[in-house]
Amino acid sequence: MKHNLTESYPIVKNRYEALRARNMRLDISRGKPGPDQLNLVNPMLSILTEDDYLSGSGIDCRNYGGVDGLPEMRQIFAEILDVSASDVIIGGNSSLNLMFDRISDFCTHGVCGGIPWHEQGAVKFICPTPGYDRHFNICQYFHIQMIPIEMTQTGPDMDAAETLAESDPMIKGMWCVPVYSNPTGCVYSDETVKRIARLKPKAPDFRLFWDNAYTVHNFAENRPVIPNILKECTQNGNADMPLVFASFSKISFPGAGVSAIAASENNRKHILSQIGIQTVGPDKLNQLRHIRFFKNADGVMEHMKKAAEIIKPKFDAVLTAMEEELTGLSEWSKPKGGYFIHFRAEENCAKRIVDLCGQAGLIITEAGAVYPYKRDPKDRDLRIAPTYAQVDELKSAMEIFCAAVKLSYVEKMESINIATKN
Amino acid sequence: MKHNLTESYPIVKNRYEALRARNMRLDISRGKPGPDQLNLVNPMLSILTEDDYLSGSGIDCRNYGGVDGLPEMRQIFAEILDVSASDVIIGGNSSLNLMFDRISDFCTHGVCGGIPWHEQGAVKFICPTPGYDRHFNICQYFHIQMIPIEMTQTGPDMDAAETLAESDPMIKGMWCVPVYSNPTGCVYSDETVKRIARLKPKAPDFRLFWDNAYTVHNFAENRPVIPNILKECTQNGNADMPLVFASFSKISFPGAGVSAIAASENNRKHILSQIGIQTVGPDKLNQLRHIRFFKNADGVMEHMKKAAEIIKPKFDAVLTAMEEELTGLSEWSKPKGGYFIHFRAEENCAKRIVDLCGQAGLIITEAGAVYPYKRDPKDRDLRIAPTYAQVDELKSAMEIFCAAVKLSYVEKMESINIATKN
């Protein structure tokens, strides 16, 4: 891609310096809900009364036990994920923790009784990129080699995924955020999901890490519905392949949500045998708060509509600014849900843009973060997280961002010109 | 030990059968607080109001972040454990989870940058016995060989501990419950704690798993104070040796407490680097509930006095029954705090007693559970957990227990007599 920026260096530079002089302080680096969105959930803070601690089935949520979670909480996740309540295991406040613990356990104990990954040599994961930095961090922590493949508008490049998974027995997993992917915001197409479900991995202990973090985080007219990965995999003889993760972190409170895994009976059996050693059970009172507040999946959907009314204008503010300032200069995603906008800058400009934003008081996700090992080979992909800031703040932030983009482009052009002259 | 049971087999048998006919159903197998004790904490269920979500330092407890916990929560643990708030990292609802995660991480990543335990061969732990079954389960899960040593009235047999730790580089850790040990209820003497702190382990990556679960769980006149293990170890050049664990599981709600680790700066640095990959942080709203309810360590101590008024009569009911029925026949611990009574039966009788109790509807902790690999070499040690049941239930339970003990003894005597006659 080649931009057609017509403004000259002094004009662009002056504009940037004027913005920098405002001494702004704003962080749009992480996918955090804003206080305005969290306020919607405040009634949950006081939803339990002093004598409200028994679940519908009479479980005293104050005491130990219930490693797999309250039946009603499993039911809510089941409805959201279109699975059975019996497919679901409830976790603590973090689905990232569930993913980390799975990979850790696979390294030390193998997959469902198989050979521990750490005894098998250099384990590899397929990583559609741009992707989620915290997924990549887990792989890196456990010395799992990350093989990037391209994330397209319809999901991972399935030709590449099939070739890798079906030829190399050391490819043990693939990260997927199937709905409103982090950061591109794409929704996997039906065909992509079906091709994933039909994979015939060379490794018998291959697992799909299906992080369905944003399945209800929709601000389009209709919530996208993708094929049910558990059912599709089962129909293709891959019942044990997927591990489906979800959480309330961006539905209720990010610090105090509830997480879950849905998986086959065989997977659940092994997961529970590990969790039963690790803990006496997750926080059932917090599950009860969620049950009382949301009641069921319909309650969750209703709530997410209210959240969308807060989130959509924030995305609109970012997208409008980009459209006004950067049309013809760059490309970016226009998601209908999720938490991020993916911005594709000119090559070799991403780091400089982050740097220029930072100097002007605007913190955006570090360049490279959406790639394994933080290595963006073309130094061009950026992630914008509009949800935490307020709309007026985002407008100011985008003035800086767009000015930084332009400045990085003219700087690059100048240096090319100078190099050409020399 | 030789009992002097004077009652004959038919009398003892009839007594047991009469109790069995009552068809009781009671479980005193686990250290669970009773509903009466939990009721003391019920105001915590509704202690937060809709607009109460900011910590004292202005942190929005609803949102992400705060991997090491709220400052005020760290301060409460610091006061309880006699350390600095900066020594403390807050966890989720389970200190067992913190211990599991430490061992898991040591297996995969080594201790503070050392060689991963799983790459070093057969790692071993010193396990004072009788001890806590869930500790032993973690070791077994990670294939850590457990070396039992004797638990005395003043703590672990330190001659044995020193010999093992100081001679064998594969001895990587030792489990300790220093106050009201599970299950014997002993409190480590000052001399024992100081000898532990002076250990010179052969393994540079030896860690003391100091599970201070019952430090405030006192029902004696005065709370026992033992030397501060972090300070003692630091004074002896062992600053990095101890990992101190504590939790509110048996102070507030077992399903919804708050856990913590206290450790040296070097340990904390490595722990946080792992936790930062695993999660975005523990549940700060639940920390805030604890801060609002208990306020500070004094609040915790006051609360534990109220809990003691509920717990002590339960222990008294068990101890009185044992004294009346079993004096001269067996020995048992008479703890002044904690959650358990340790009963030492005649050799080869523990399994039979559990079996007889079970047949009469009374579930007690399985025989062998207090030993590594569930192997009690003399089949004699049992654990009684009086806290969950009500006093009148405990009286009925102890009728069964004492009858089962006696029946097992006369059965054993009979079989010896028969064997002798043959």
Side-chain angles (χ1 to χ4, degrees):
Chain A
M1 179 183 44
K2 197 82 191 81
H3 73 75
N4 50 3
L5 183 59
T6 51
E7 296 161 76
S8 69
Y9 177 82
I11 288 173
V12 172
K13 173 79 172 167
N14 283 343
R15 167 82 178 140
Y16 170 78
E17 291 300 337
L19 290 166
R20 187 157 81 117
R22 287 189 193 166
N23 283 318
M24 188 175 192
R25 286 285 166 272
L26 189 64
D27 186 337
I28 56 168
S29 67
R30 299 304 316 179
K32 287 168 70 167
D36 44 353
Q37 183 184 337
L38 298 181
N39 287 344
L40 297 175
V41 197
N42 283 353
M44 193 197 282
L45 291 168
S46 55
I47 203 160
L48 295 185
T49 54
E50 282 198 33
D51 54 3
D52 184 11
Y53 47 77
L54 296 181
S55 76
S57 47
I59 296 165
D60 188 338
C61 299
R62 304 171 302 177
N63 222 324
Y64 282 121
V67 163
D68 51 5
L70 292 178
E72 300 93 322
M73 193 74 228
R74 297 169 76 191
Q75 181 60 33
I76 292 176
F77 272 108
E79 291 173 21
I80 290 174
L81 296 170
D82 185 25
V83 298
S84 301
S86 61
D87 296 329
V88 176
I89 297 170
I90 303 297
N93 74 327
S94 162
S95 57
L96 188 75
N97 199 325
L98 292 176
M99 298 176 219
F100 180 100
D101 284 3
R102 270 323 89 219
I103 290 190
S104 180
D105 197 58
F106 291 160
C107 287
T108 54
H109 288 78
V111 175
C112 293
I115 301 167
W117 285 356
H118 273 177
E119 292 175 17
Q120 292 192 43
V123 164
K124 303 172 199 165
F125 259 53
I126 300 171
C127 299
T129 54
Y132 179 32
D133 56 348
R134 290 189 187 270
H135 288 166
F136 301 154
N137 289 345
I138 293 176
C139 276
Q140 195 164 358
Y141 191 74
F142 287 101
H143 313 298
I144 293 171
Q145 199 183 325
M146 291 178 270
I147 314 290
I149 65 170
E150 195 194 344
M151 180 68 89
T152 75
Q153 301 280 340
T154 56
D157 170 357
M158 283 310 300
D159 290 343
E162 284 164 358
T163 302
L164 286 162
E166 297 181 358
S167 66
D168 185 346
M170 293 313 291
I171 300 261
K172 302 294 190 188
M174 174 156 108
W175 290 109
C176 295
V177 183
V179 176
Y180 300 131
S181 193
N182 177 351
T184 73
C186 83
V187 177
Y188 290 15
S189 69
D190 288 9
E191 177 55 22
T192 297
V193 175
K194 285 169 188 284
R195 280 180 76 177
I196 292 173
R198 285 196 303 264
L199 276 174
K200 295 289 167 220
K202 192 89 169 173
D205 51 355
F206 177 96
R207 286 295 179 271
L208 202 58
F209 280 70
W210 196 259
D211 184 359
N212 214 343
Y214 305 110
T215 180
V216 298
H217 299 70
N218 171 61
F219 41 78
E221 190 93 8
N222 296 307
R223 180 184 164 215
V225 176
I226 61 167
N228 180 318
I229 192 70
L230 284 186
K231 286 179 192 160
E232 292 288 334
C233 284
T234 302
Q235 282 163 14
N236 286 281
N238 278 330
D240 289 342
M241 190 168 76
L243 299 172
V244 177
F245 300 91
S247 99
F248 273 75
S249 290
K250 292 183 182 84
I251 300 173
S252 60
F253 297 126
V258 175
S259 65
I261 311 180
S264 70
E265 185 180 353
N266 189 32
N267 280 315
R268 291 198 313 277
K269 186 184 79 181
H270 283 89
I271 293 168
L272 286 174
S273 75
Q274 180 264 333
I275 296 180
I277 305 291
Q278 187 181 30
T279 168
V280 191
D283 183 342
K284 293 186 296 300
L285 285 172
N286 204 35
Q287 293 173 43
L288 193 62
R289 279 182 205 102
H290 282 72
I291 293 162
R292 295 283 184 265
F293 184 77
F294 292 107
K295 294 183 179 65
N296 48 44
D298 284 345
V300 174
M301 301 308 166
E302 281 308 306
H303 174 76
M304 291 313 285
K305 281 183 192 160
K306 293 180 209 158
E309 288 169 20
I310 290 170
I311 294 171
K312 186 167 185 300
K314 297 182 179 186
F315 274 75
D316 287 345
V318 171
L319 293 170
T320 301
M322 286 179 176
E323 197 173 335
E324 286 173 5
E325 296 263 3
L326 302 175
T327 295
L329 297 185
S330 285
E331 287 172 6
W332 54 88
S333 65
K334 296 161 187 81
K336 297 194 161 29
Y339 260 64
F340 302 102
I341 290 164
H342 168 226
F343 184 85
R344 178 151 285 174
E346 276 204 25
E347 290 187 16
N348 301 314
C349 287
K351 277 185 191 154
R352 180 62 180 154
I353 293 168
V354 172
D355 186 36
L356 288 168
C357 285
Q359 286 177 38
L362 174 67
I363 298 169
I364 63 174
T365 311
E366 61 178 326
V370 296
Y371 280 83
Y373 311 105
K374 302 193 192 305
R375 278 189 229 126
D376 177 354
K378 298 186 174 167
D379 184 27
R380 65 179 181 179
D381 283 313
L382 291 172
R383 186 181 83 167
I384 307 282
T387 51
Y388 185 72
Q390 299 306 302
V391 167
D392 56 342
E393 292 175 316
L394 284 167
K395 287 180 180 168
S396 305
M398 289 314 292
E399 288 187 88
I400 294 173
F401 179 79
C402 295
V405 169
K406 287 182 181 173
L407 182 52
S408 77
Y409 289 5
V410 292
E411 282 177 351
K412 185 183 164 192
M413 206 155 48
E414 292 281 309
S415 71
I416 291 170
N417 289 346
I418 290 165
T420 313
K421 281 177 197 157
N422 294 348
Chain B
M1 178 184 47
K2 196 81 191 84
H3 74 75
N4 49 4
L5 181 58
T6 51
E7 294 160 76
S8 68
Y9 178 81
I11 288 172
V12 172
K13 173 78 172 168
N14 284 343
R15 168 81 179 141
Y16 170 78
E17 291 299 338
L19 290 166
R20 187 158 82 115
R22 287 187 195 167
N23 283 319
M24 190 176 190
R25 286 287 165 271
L26 190 63
D27 187 335
I28 56 169
S29 66
R30 301 303 315 178
K32 288 170 70 168
D36 44 352
Q37 182 185 337
L38 299 180
N39 287 344
L40 297 174
V41 196
N42 282 353
M44 192 196 280
L45 290 169
S46 55
I47 203 160
L48 296 185
T49 55
E50 282 199 33
D51 54 3
D52 183 12
Y53 47 77
L54 297 180
S55 76
S57 47
I59 296 166
D60 187 337
C61 299
R62 303 171 302 179
N63 222 324
Y64 282 121
V67 163
D68 51 5
L70 293 177
E72 301 92 323
M73 193 74 229
R74 298 168 77 190
Q75 181 61 33
I76 292 176
F77 272 108
E79 291 173 22
I80 289 173
L81 296 170
D82 186 24
V83 298
S84 301
S86 61
D87 296 330
V88 176
I89 297 170
I90 303 297
N93 74 329
S94 162
S95 58
L96 189 74
N97 199 324
L98 292 176
M99 297 176 220
F100 179 100
D101 285 2
R102 273 320 91 222
I103 289 189
S104 179
D105 196 58
F106 292 160
C107 287
T108 54
H109 288 77
V111 175
C112 293
I115 301 166
W117 284 357
H118 273 178
E119 292 175 17
Q120 292 193 43
V123 164
K124 302 172 200 168
F125 259 53
I126 300 171
C127 298
T129 54
Y132 179 31
D133 56 348
R134 290 188 186 271
H135 288 165
F136 301 154
N137 289 345
I138 293 175
C139 276
Q140 196 165 355
Y141 191 73
F142 287 101
H143 313 297
I144 293 171
Q145 197 183 325
M146 292 179 269
I147 314 290
I149 65 170
E150 193 194 345
M151 179 68 90
T152 75
Q153 299 282 338
T154 56
D157 170 357
M158 284 308 300
D159 290 342
E162 284 164 359
T163 302
L164 285 163
E166 298 181 357
S167 66
D168 185 346
M170 293 311 293
I171 300 261
K172 301 295 190 187
M174 174 156 107
W175 290 109
C176 294
V177 183
V179 175
Y180 299 132
S181 191
N182 178 350
T184 73
C186 84
V187 177
Y188 290 14
S189 69
D190 289 10
E191 177 55 21
T192 297
V193 175
K194 286 169 188 285
R195 280 181 76 179
I196 291 172
R198 285 197 303 265
L199 276 174
K200 294 289 167 222
K202 192 88 169 177
D205 50 357
F206 177 97
R207 284 296 179 271
L208 201 59
F209 279 71
W210 196 259
D211 184 359
N212 213 342
Y214 305 110
T215 179
V216 299
H217 299 70
N218 171 62
F219 40 77
E221 189 93 10
N222 296 306
R223 179 183 164 216
V225 177
I226 61 167
N228 180 317
I229 192 69
L230 285 185
K231 286 179 191 159
E232 292 288 333
C233 284
T234 302
Q235 282 164 14
N236 286 281
N238 279 330
D240 288 342
M241 189 168 78
L243 299 172
V244 177
F245 300 90
S247 100
F248 273 74
S249 290
K250 293 183 182 83
I251 299 173
S252 61
F253 296 127
V258 174
S259 65
I261 312 181
S264 70
E265 186 180 353
N266 189 33
N267 280 315
R268 291 197 315 275
K269 187 183 79 183
H270 283 89
I271 292 168
L272 287 173
S273 74
Q274 179 265 334
I275 295 179
I277 304 292
Q278 186 181 31
T279 170
V280 192
D283 182 343
K284 292 185 295 302
L285 285 172
N286 204 34
Q287 293 173 42
L288 193 63
R289 281 182 204 103
H290 283 73
I291 293 162
R292 294 285 184 265
F293 185 78
F294 292 107
K295 295 181 176 65
N296 49 43
D298 284 346
V300 174
M301 301 309 166
E302 281 307 307
H303 174 76
M304 292 311 286
K305 281 183 192 163
K306 292 180 210 159
E309 287 169 21
I310 290 169
I311 295 170
K312 187 168 185 298
K314 297 182 179 185
F315 275 74
D316 287 345
V318 171
L319 293 170
T320 302
M322 286 179 175
E323 197 172 337
E324 286 174 5
E325 296 263 2
L326 301 174
T327 296
L329 298 185
S330 285
E331 287 173 7
W332 55 89
S333 65
K334 295 160 188 81
K336 295 192 162 33
Y339 259 63
F340 301 102
I341 290 164
H342 168 226
F343 184 84
R344 177 150 285 174
E346 276 203 25
E347 289 186 18
N348 301 314
C349 288
K351 278 184 189 154
R352 180 62 181 155
I353 292 168
V354 172
D355 185 37
L356 287 168
C357 285
Q359 288 178 36
L362 175 66
I363 297 169
I364 63 175
T365 312
E366 62 178 326
V370 296
Y371 279 82
Y373 311 104
K374 303 197 192 302
R375 279 189 228 125
D376 177 355
K378 297 186 175 167
D379 184 29
R380 64 179 181 178
D381 283 311
L382 291 172
R383 186 181 83 166
I384 307 282
T387 51
Y388 185 72
Q390 299 306 303
V391 168
D392 57 341
E393 293 174 316
L394 284 166
K395 286 180 181 168
S396 305
M398 290 314 292
E399 287 187 89
I400 294 173
F401 179 79
C402 294
V405 168
K406 286 182 183 173
L407 182 52
S408 78
Y409 289 6
V410 292
E411 283 176 348
K412 183 183 166 193
M413 206 154 51
E414 292 281 308
S415 71
I416 291 169
N417 288 346
I418 291 164
T420 312
K421 278 178 197 158
N422 296 349

